[in-house]
Amino acid sequence: MKLAYLAPEIPALSATFVYNEILALNELGHEVIPFSVHKPIMPATDQHLEQLSSKVIYLYATSKKKVFFSHLRLLTKKPTHYIKALGECVKDMFNVSILSRDARGLFYRFFYAARLAQELEENAIQHLHVHFAHVPTDIAMYASMLSGISFSVTAHANDIFERGLLLDKKVERSSFFATISDFNLQYIQQTYQVDPDKLEIIRCGVDSRVFTRKSSIALSSPVRIGVVGRLVEKKGIDTLISALAILKIQFSDFIVEIAGSGPLEEELKQQVTQLDLNDNVVFLGPLPHDQVVKFVRELDLFVLPCKKDKQGDMDGIPVVLMEAMMVGTAVISSRISGIPELVIDEETGKLIEPGNSEQLAGAILELIKDEALRGVLINHAEKKVQQEFSQDINAKRLETLFAESIGNL
């Protein structure tokens, strides 16, 4: 198949699952043309991405003059498609209040959709797949109308919980609408009136050839605890730091390495200083994805205590949890969103209530002290990821859905 992928940023350090999915489809023999709304602010720099990066077409970097000529070309070549698509965009603008910022945003994205539609036609694309159900899906659904080429979506978290603009329309217009967890699927069905037959669960998978199991579960001295993620509220890094102050009263031979950057970095560093944890906590800054495997493999515990932020945003199922579980590092996370579908308490990891630093300190101490439990959790965790969250398995599921979408044209 000849496919196109569209995401907010490709290749982005914060969304490695998008380009890994593209690479997995390439390995299955399909050609994928990558489109990105923006140029990445923090691009992924893995060596094997050079060829992919050179192919990316950045929509918002296209000159407005060039986009305007795409509109003229489509109006001339496909007047019926064009008028219908424009009419749907105007109806959507009225649905969200014609004078609102949302309405202006929809029209802006319709404008760039013409450029995407032209590129889809010129590259003989058979189907367009989109990651994230907000801005890129706005562009994709209008490009689909303009070109007559089908599209599908993978939704994640923020794009459902906070930014679900016209989500019912997006489900209706797509060939299929996937999301990464059963939690998300149930949320969509309960919040929006949509056709349940359009909904699919497609996990964000990890490559088992890259994230291979380490040979030993023996603890380091000091015990190495780590986390990878953007330093934002929903990651719960403040909960982790508070838990460390509690843990230190009973057990002090540990080092915590925090890999990532973000708006809360200075605030979190101040928290570390206030709790007298400077000898125990190290901020590493952002970590290139090709270094993540080495980082998580060398840890004794991977701790990501996610929570809901003040705006209601929360993680879906963080891929980095899967990566840690695949290499044989014990994980602790939170009972929130789709995480319990991956981290099953006392079976594939430990779960705490979001924001509960006392529970977190207790879970960390238990896994440090109980090697037998740690070993059981690690073994079950690896099997869980292999069976359900493998990149290959989910790429093949997508392959089947894409083929059906093309067949239904």
Side-chain angles (χ1 to χ4, degrees):
M1 290 178 284
K2 193 164 187 185
L3 307 165
Y5 257 58
L6 173 64
E9 298 180 350
I10 300 177
L13 189 59
S14 61
T16 57
F17 47 83
V18 177
Y19 66 73
N20 282 331
E21 200 169 278
I22 292 171
L23 296 173
L25 288 164
N26 288 157
E27 287 194 11
L28 290 172
H30 308 294
E31 183 180 353
V32 182
I33 306 295
F35 292 86
S36 180
V37 179
H38 305 278
K39 290 186 177 180
I41 295 170
M42 293 186 65
T45 55
D46 301 15
Q47 291 180 349
H48 66 284
L49 289 177
E50 287 179 11
Q51 189 175 2
L52 177 93
S53 299
S54 67
K55 292 181 179 178
V56 180
I57 298 168
Y58 298 103
L59 292 178
Y60 280 11
T62 310
S63 72
K64 289 183 170 60
K65 182 179 178 181
K66 204 169 185 178
V67 177
F68 178 73
F69 279 111
S70 294
H71 279 271
L72 289 181
R73 181 181 176 279
L74 288 165
L75 181 57
T76 304
K77 281 191 68 179
K78 292 188 169 184
T80 305
H81 279 82
Y82 187 90
I83 292 165
K84 182 180 178 183
L86 179 58
E88 288 298 317
C89 177
V90 171
K91 279 197 282 185
D92 291 343
M93 290 168 68
F94 273 101
N95 281 342
V96 301
S97 181
I98 191 66
L99 298 178
S100 67
R101 181 181 177 183
D102 285 337
R104 293 193 299 275
L106 287 173
F107 190 76
Y108 187 77
R109 295 188 275 279
F110 175 81
F111 179 70
Y112 279 95
R115 186 64 202 169
L116 176 58
Q118 183 178 336
E119 292 280 2
L120 296 177
E121 288 187 347
E122 290 179 350
N123 285 283
I125 298 298
Q126 295 172 279
H127 182 77
L128 167 65
H129 188 64
V130 193
H131 270 275
F132 296 95
H134 42 53
V135 170
T137 298
D138 294 346
I139 297 169
M141 68 179 176
Y142 296 133
S144 175
M145 294 176 201
L146 289 164
S147 64
I149 294 165
S150 59
F151 82 100
S152 53
V153 181
T154 296
H156 293 266
N158 167 277
D159 52 334
I160 302 172
F161 306 130
E162 275 195 274
R163 301 172 68 183
L165 186 72
L166 296 174
L167 195 131
D168 54 343
K169 295 287 186 186
K170 292 169 184 177
V171 175
E172 179 187 331
R173 292 165 181 170
S174 63
S175 296
F176 66 90
F177 192 98
T179 190
I180 52 101
S181 68
D182 185 62
F183 178 92
N184 285 3
L185 188 142
Q186 297 299 326
Y187 177 87
I188 292 167
Q189 287 185 316
Q190 292 164 10
T191 309
Y192 304 94
Q193 289 192 327
V194 298
D195 179 0
D197 292 337
K198 283 281 188 84
L199 301 178
E200 302 282 347
I201 295 176
I202 299 288
R203 305 296 195 183
C204 289
V206 293
D207 190 341
S208 57
R209 295 166 301 179
V210 175
F211 289 86
T212 54
R213 176 77 178 264
K214 60 188 175 186
S215 57
S216 172
I217 65 165
L219 293 178
S220 311
S221 182
V223 174
R224 288 187 66 182
I225 301 166
V227 60
V228 180
R230 288 198 70 230
L231 304 185
V232 293
E233 185 183 1
K234 69 179 180 179
K235 297 296 181 181
I237 309 298
D238 59 330
T239 304
L240 171 59
I241 293 168
S242 295
L244 298 177
I246 299 168
L247 175 66
K248 196 171 179 179
I249 296 169
Q250 300 178 69
F251 182 88
S252 60
D253 188 27
F254 65 84
I255 186 80
V256 175
E257 296 166 291
I258 299 172
S261 62
L264 295 184
E265 184 167 349
E266 288 307 315
E267 186 177 318
L268 294 170
K269 286 179 176 177
Q270 288 174 16
Q271 184 186 6
V272 167
T273 300
Q274 288 165 1
L275 293 174
D276 194 23
L277 291 167
N278 284 313
D279 292 338
N280 299 93
V281 178
V282 179
F283 288 83
L284 301 178
L287 198 66
H289 191 250
D290 57 1
Q291 294 180 26
V292 169
V293 60
K294 181 177 184 292
F295 177 71
V296 295
R297 185 183 281 123
E298 291 176 351
L299 296 175
D300 298 306
L301 300 177
F302 184 88
V303 182
L304 186 62
C306 301
K307 60 183 179 180
K308 189 180 288 190
D309 72 14
K310 292 181 181 67
Q311 284 71 47
D313 187 22
M314 52 186 165
D315 266 319
I317 307 179
V319 174
V320 71
L321 281 170
M322 305 167 203
E323 294 170 340
M325 292 164 73
M326 187 74 95
V327 301
T329 296
V331 301
I332 303 173
S333 194
S334 305
R335 290 185 184 88
I336 193 169
S337 189
I339 291 172
E341 296 170 42
L342 171 70
V343 184
I344 301 167
D345 193 33
E346 300 291 342
E347 183 178 328
T348 65
K350 294 282 290 181
L351 290 177
I352 64 155
E353 294 305 317
N356 193 320
S357 53
E358 291 84 2
Q359 275 189 14
L360 181 54
I364 293 171
L365 187 62
E366 182 181 10
L367 288 186
I368 289 172
K369 299 291 187 184
D370 193 337
E371 183 175 343
L373 173 62
R374 202 167 66 250
V376 169
L377 298 183
I378 286 169
N379 288 334
H380 289 167
E382 184 191 11
K383 288 176 186 173
K384 177 72 173 176
V385 178
Q386 290 276 15
Q387 291 169 2
E388 195 175 335
F389 295 85
S390 161
Q391 184 174 284
D392 291 343
I393 290 170
N394 288 288
K396 285 172 183 173
R397 288 203 63 212
L398 277 170
E399 179 183 47
T400 301
L401 291 167
F402 292 156
E404 290 172 356
S405 299
I406 293 167
N408 289 335
L409 284 175

